[in-house]
Amino acid sequence: FYLTEGKSGVDWLDADTLLLMSALGDGMATTSGYARAVRVWRRGTSVDQAKIIFETTPDHMLAWASVDHTAETPRVWFIDKPGFFDTELWLGDRTGTLTGLGLPTDIEMEAHQDWLVVKRRSEWMPGTTTYAPDSVLGISLSAY
């Protein structure tokens, strides 16, 4: 794999495949100069052949993806950052099939195996209990 210098990032999907976040091509950068798209790039192919599997709008800050290899089957987290403090999350796979989680946008999140941990910057009432800002909440992802 070879990529010219720029505001880019990668994560290994498997030994021969990367998820690539890069502002490749005309119109593919956000107004912040970051990647608007997540692409699947296979070893031995040109970066121009990397297929877009997730994309955001030019006025958002960036699009990103991260692979969680701790799960039984690797999970792909797709991230759309409308702004610095806002995060929209989807759980997906290597094809770009997405499941929205319906989480508030003012969160920080981590996932490990079947656990989802979320910390919100503002008060949150996901059911009948109200949680103070910065409360750290964990739940089984499969139960969620």
Side-chain angles (χ1 to χ4, degrees):
F1 296 102
Y2 174 78
L3 189 64
T4 58
E5 185 177 348
K7 288 185 178 179
S8 302
V10 297
D11 201 354
W12 289 100
L13 193 53
D14 60 44
D16 293 312
T17 313
L18 294 176
L19 291 181
L20 170 66
M21 292 69 65
S22 182
L24 293 170
D26 292 335
M28 294 311 296
T30 65
T31 53
S32 299
Y34 293 100
R36 279 191 52 213
V38 175
R39 302 165 188 256
V40 175
W41 187 13
R42 290 182 175 41
R43 185 183 303 278
T45 64
S46 164
V47 70
D48 298 333
Q49 296 173 312
K51 180 183 173 190
I52 294 174
I53 61 169
F54 182 75
E55 191 170 358
T56 192
T57 59
D59 61 327
H60 283 199
M61 190 174 134
L62 64 86
W64 199 262
S66 177
V67 182
D68 177 9
H69 290 284
T70 66
E72 187 174 316
T73 301
R75 295 183 179 110
V76 180
W77 292 95
F78 291 93
I79 300 151
D80 180 358
K81 299 276 295 174
F84 188 80
F85 292 109
D86 295 307
T87 303
E88 296 176 1
L89 292 169
W90 290 269
L91 191 54
D93 61 21
R94 64 177 49 234
T95 67
T97 300
L98 304 174
T99 301
L101 298 180
L103 293 168
T105 61
D106 67 336
I107 63 164
E108 292 179 39
M109 164 277 213
E110 291 290 333
H112 183 80
Q113 294 180 347
D114 190 44
W115 284 99
L116 174 64
V117 178
V118 176
K119 181 177 88 164
R120 189 169 183 197
R121 285 189 302 280
S122 58
E123 187 176 87
W124 191 15
M125 189 173 163
T128 58
T129 304
T130 301
Y131 297 95
D134 295 323
S135 295
V136 177
L137 306 173
I139 187 170
S140 161
L141 187 56
S142 56
Y144 179 78

